[in-house]
Amino acid sequence: MRIFLNDDAHEIDPGTLAKALEALGFGGRKIATAVNGRFVAAAARPATPLADGDRIEVVAPMQGG
Amino acid sequence: MLYGVELSSRLLLGTARYPSPAVLERAIKASGAQIVTVSLRREGGASRAGQSFWSFVQSLGLRVLPNTAGCHSVQEAVTTAHMARELFDTKWIKLEVIGDADTLQPDVFGLVEAAGILTQDGFEVFPYTTEDLVVADRLLEAGCRVLMPWGAPIGSARGLNNVYGLRSLRAHFPDIPLIVDAGLGVPSHAAAAMELGYDAVLLNTAVAEAGDPVAMARAFALAVEAGRTAFLAQPLEPRDMAQPSTPVIGKAALERFSN
C-alpha cells in the first residue's frame, strides 16, 4: 500500500506505524510521530495500524528560537 | 521562578542561526543562560541532523524550552507540543500560534484556545503573545503561569515597540513572571525591558547573527544584569524641567563682577 512520510510517497507492506518506521530506516532513532495530523506516542506505534493513503509526519530535535 | 523552577539567570537564549555548533556552545556559556529554546523539524531516513543536535543538547546539561514555531493553527500547535514533550522529555512548551506570515504576530485567539487544551493535557505553557492586557487575562484563565509578550516582531531587532503597553502589563500582573520574547536587537533593549520590571528576556537572532555572537551573548548578559539591578534600585521618573544636581545654596556670589 502507499503511505506518505513527510510528503514523500512510499510503497510499504500493510502493518503498523512501528513496522513502517523500521522499514523506512527510522529504527532506534530520536523521533516523534504523527499520523494524519494526530500525535502518536512512541509507545503507541506498535499498536497503530496504517491505512492506504495515511500521512505520517516524522520529526526530530532541531535548533529553535 | 518559572513553574516552580528557581533560576538565577534572567536570560533565555535561542539555539538557531548560529554560524556553527561550537559558536553556539560558547555563546550559551557567555550568556549564562540556564534555559535554551529548541524546536523540531521533519527528518528524512538518511539525515542524522536531528540526532546529532539531540546529543549536543544533552551535553549542555541545561533546561530546554521547546517551541511550536511556524504553527499557524491550534491543531498544528497542539500536535507539535505533544511531539516536543516526547522528544525533549519536558512539560514546558513555548507556545507559538502565528497569525500573520509577514509580522509573525501571534494569533491570540488560537493561542488562548491552544493554551487551554495544552494546560488540560498537563503542559506548562509559555505563551508567545502580544502586550494586550485582555489576552493576557485569558491566557492566565486558560492556565498559563508565565506570559511572554513580544518586544517587536521576531528577528526585527527593533527593541520595545510599545513601552507603555509593556509597562501597563507589568503593573496589571505584578505576581506573574513576565518575559519579553522576540524583537530585541541590542543589549540596551534588554536592559530597558529589565528596567520596566520584566523578569527575564528571551532572544536569539540578536546574538546568533551578530558579527561576534559570543561577545554579543556576554553583552546581553551584562545588560540584563544591569537592567535588573537598576529596577531593584528604583529608578527616577522622567520629568519635564531641569533640576540642578549640584546644590545651589552656598554658591559663590560672583555674578556682580560680570562684564
Side-chain angles (χ1 to χ4, degrees):
Chain A
M1 65 179 189
R2 168 181 283 204
I3 53 98
F4 296 88
L5 191 145
N6 293 347
D7 282 345
D8 291 333
H10 296 272
E11 290 293 333
I12 60 164
D13 296 331
T16 63
L17 176 58
K19 284 219 166 69
L21 291 170
E22 191 70 42
L24 294 170
F26 289 98
R29 290 169 61 175
K30 189 80 182 170
I31 54 166
T33 52
V35 175
N36 300 327
R38 300 278 166 180
F39 170 63
V40 179
R45 287 176 204 152
T48 302
L50 292 179
D52 194 51
D54 273 353
R55 307 195 74 93
I56 305 168
E57 289 290 324
V58 175
V59 297
M62 200 200 73
Q63 296 84 344
Chain B
M1 181 82 86
L2 301 174
Y3 286 105
V5 175
E6 183 107 37
L7 299 149
S8 53
S9 167
R10 293 178 179 274
L11 193 162
L12 290 73
L13 194 63
T15 55
R17 296 176 171 272
Y18 290 80
S20 72
V23 171
L24 167 59
E25 186 170 7
R26 288 171 53 219
I28 292 170
K29 286 211 169 75
S31 76
Q34 294 170 307
I35 299 171
V36 292
T37 57
V38 293
S39 194
L40 37 88
R41 282 294 178 272
R42 285 173 162 182
E43 179 142 285
S47 164
R48 295 271 161 175
Q51 313 306 303
S52 58
F53 181 64
W54 172 242
S55 306
F56 172 77
V57 166
Q58 285 182 304
S59 73
L60 295 173
L62 302 173
R63 275 182 185 276
V64 294
L65 175 59
N67 68 28
T68 63
C71 290
H72 287 255
S73 74
V74 171
Q75 178 60 47
E76 207 182 353
V78 167
T79 300
T80 301
H82 278 277
M83 293 196 287
R85 179 163 69 178
E86 184 175 86
L87 270 184
F88 294 106
D89 194 24
T90 175
K91 290 188 284 185
W92 285 8
I93 189 75
K94 173 181 163 179
L95 182 61
E96 297 183 35
V97 183
I98 299 301
D100 181 80
D102 287 330
T103 61
L104 300 180
Q105 175 151 354
D107 167 3
V108 293
F109 304 96
L111 182 68
V112 170
E113 188 185 339
I117 293 169
L118 291 172
T119 301
Q120 288 292 312
D121 287 343
F123 284 86
E124 294 176 337
V125 178
F126 294 63
Y128 165 62
T129 184
T130 67
E131 68 278 19
D132 189 291
L133 293 178
V134 180
V135 171
D137 246 334
R138 296 289 184 277
L139 287 168
L140 296 177
E141 283 169 21
C144 297
R145 291 295 167 266
V146 173
L147 297 173
M148 301 209 298
W150 64 350
I154 296 170
S156 69
R158 301 187 69 84
L160 308 182
N161 255 353
N162 181 1
V163 171
Y164 163 76
L166 290 169
R167 183 180 285 128
S168 181
L169 192 68
R170 178 70 285 177
H172 273 74
F173 303 104
D175 302 322
I176 299 293
L178 297 180
I179 300 172
V180 167
D181 175 12
L184 303 186
V186 288
S188 56
H189 296 153
M194 299 306 293
E195 286 166 13
L196 291 176
Y198 274 69
D199 294 281
V201 298
L202 195 169
L203 58 139
N204 185 345
T205 313
V207 167
E209 296 199 343
D212 182 343
V214 179
M216 191 58 84
R218 170 88 178 124
F220 267 100
L222 293 168
V224 166
E225 191 185 340
R228 176 66 184 175
T229 306
F231 169 71
L232 294 174
Q234 301 166 20
L236 294 184
E237 286 301 315
R239 44 188 294 155
D240 290 332
M241 304 301 284
Q243 181 183 355
S245 50
T246 304
V248 180
I249 296 168
K251 174 182 168 290
L254 306 173
E255 194 186 355
R256 71 190 79 163
F257 302 112
S258 296
N259 300 321

